[in-house]
Amino acid sequence: MTLVFSGLIIFDGWMDGSITRTIEDNTTAQGTIFCILIAILAIPANFELAQLASTKNLKVFVPISIIASILLAESKYISQFNIISQEHYLSFVLVFTFLAVFLFQYLTNGLNNVITNCGATSFSILYLGLLSYFAVAIRVEFGLWHLFTYIFVVKCTDIGAYTVGSICGKHKFSPKISPGKTWEGMGGGLVFALIVAIGFSVRFGIMNWMMAIIFGICLAFIGQLGDLMESMMKRDAQQKDSAKKIPGFGGILDVIDSPLAAAPFAYLFFILAS
């Protein structure tokens, strides 16, 4: 998955020129392939979240949540074409989505569980759409090396935590939510995150090494928090994984949970670093 993802993003950067030119000097729309990838992942992710919600007798209106989460996530990409201001675009997407959710509820369920169904659908849209927006914004505004830095810091935290935790993990990090996580694993994940953050930042001039240390520490903990957030939903639904699509991982949500939560904070760091 790492090789496929990296290959697609590098090819994306080659297509729009962000590998060889700065974003400011490039008139080509940035991040087309990455945005297509986000849209593709949004489809199974919404189905998985709907399945988790169904165990608690909640209905996520999947057709609405898929379309709305994609439109919300892709707003930064669409704004590059100057068809409509991003502010107006986001406002219209949110308003029409709000109305569409209630209309779908009325047509399919009438007056039964209005608040819970509309609430579950809105949660799915915000969780998958709004958080993905920041990942797309990183790619469009800052380029593929910033995107790689953010993604690899978060995912290498997962790798380090799993590796060290499997070898010497003894003290549980959050036994009620995720019994497999340990403080030793968290320490290993933090070391991996720092190495990647400093390496990418120094190599590609993203930020100075002191800020890279802060970046690595923050994203390591926030990424693990994102993993715990999804684990809370799975525990509530009494499921170990969000699905069984990816051997060794579970579902799409199990792969993207930590990058989703970390995306807004990574975006904020890149703004401050620039």
Side-chain angles (χ1 to χ4, degrees):
M1 286 192 297
T2 302
L3 291 175
V4 172
F5 173 78
S6 299
L8 286 173
I9 300 306
I10 291 173
F11 181 65
D12 190 24
W14 175 78
M15 283 184 59
D16 60 33
S18 56
I19 289 181
T20 56
R21 297 189 295 271
T22 63
I23 299 296
E24 293 77 10
D25 296 333
N26 203 343
T27 57
T28 307
Q30 299 291 300
T32 300
I33 292 179
F34 180 67
C35 289
I36 293 173
L37 179 62
I38 291 291
I40 292 172
L41 292 177
I43 298 173
N46 273 282
F47 276 107
E48 290 176 17
L49 198 52
Q51 179 60 37
L52 292 176
S54 68
T55 64
K56 309 303 292 185
N57 296 319
L58 301 172
K59 289 186 178 180
V60 172
F61 306 141
V62 176
I64 302 295
S65 66
I66 289 176
I67 295 171
S69 61
I70 291 175
L71 289 175
L72 189 58
E74 309 288 4
S75 62
K76 180 64 71 172
Y77 176 79
I78 293 172
S79 68
Q80 297 178 98
F81 299 98
N82 297 317
I83 300 171
I84 184 175
S85 71
Q86 188 178 3
E87 180 183 355
H88 289 150
Y89 175 88
L90 285 172
S91 299
F92 285 127
V93 167
L94 292 174
V95 168
F96 287 125
T97 297
F98 181 75
L99 297 175
V101 168
F102 275 93
L103 178 61
F104 200 93
Q105 164 67 28
Y106 176 73
L107 295 176
T108 58
N109 295 279
L111 300 178
N112 296 322
N113 302 318
V114 175
I115 295 177
T116 54
N117 292 343
C118 292
T121 304
S122 299
F123 171 77
S124 180
I125 293 168
L126 291 176
Y127 180 62
L128 296 173
L130 184 59
L131 295 181
S132 295
Y133 161 84
F134 290 97
V136 173
I138 291 172
R139 175 62 183 90
V140 171
E141 289 190 29
F142 297 103
L144 78 163
W145 301 121
H146 287 71
L147 179 69
F148 272 140
T149 302
Y150 137 67
I151 292 291
F152 279 114
V153 166
V154 174
K155 297 311 293 184
C156 284
T157 300
D158 293 341
I159 294 171
Y162 179 81
T163 303
V164 176
S166 299
I167 296 172
C168 59
K170 295 181 179 179
H171 301 88
K172 300 298 182 182
F173 181 69
S174 181
K176 290 184 178 180
I177 301 176
S178 187
K181 294 188 183 302
T182 63
W183 283 106
E184 291 84 0
M186 184 66 241
L190 182 60
V191 172
F192 275 50
L194 287 173
I195 293 173
V196 174
I198 295 172
F200 269 89
S201 296
V202 172
R203 173 63 182 82
F204 299 107
I206 294 171
M207 61 185 79
N208 63 58
W209 67 270
M210 292 187 65
M211 196 165 186
I213 290 175
I214 300 173
F215 179 80
I217 293 172
C218 290
L219 254 66
F221 280 100
I222 293 166
Q224 292 301 293
L225 177 61
D227 190 282
L228 291 175
M229 287 164 53
E230 197 236 352
S231 293
M232 288 175 65
M233 292 185 278
K234 292 188 294 184
R235 296 296 171 264
D236 189 33
Q238 297 182 348
Q239 294 189 21
K240 183 179 183 297
D241 298 314
S242 62
K244 299 186 183 298
K245 297 181 178 71
I246 307 173
F249 288 90
I252 297 297
L253 285 178
D254 297 312
V255 176
I256 67 174
D257 52 3
S258 48
L260 277 179
F265 298 92
Y267 180 69
L268 175 61
F269 261 96
F270 293 143
I271 290 176
L272 296 175
S274 63

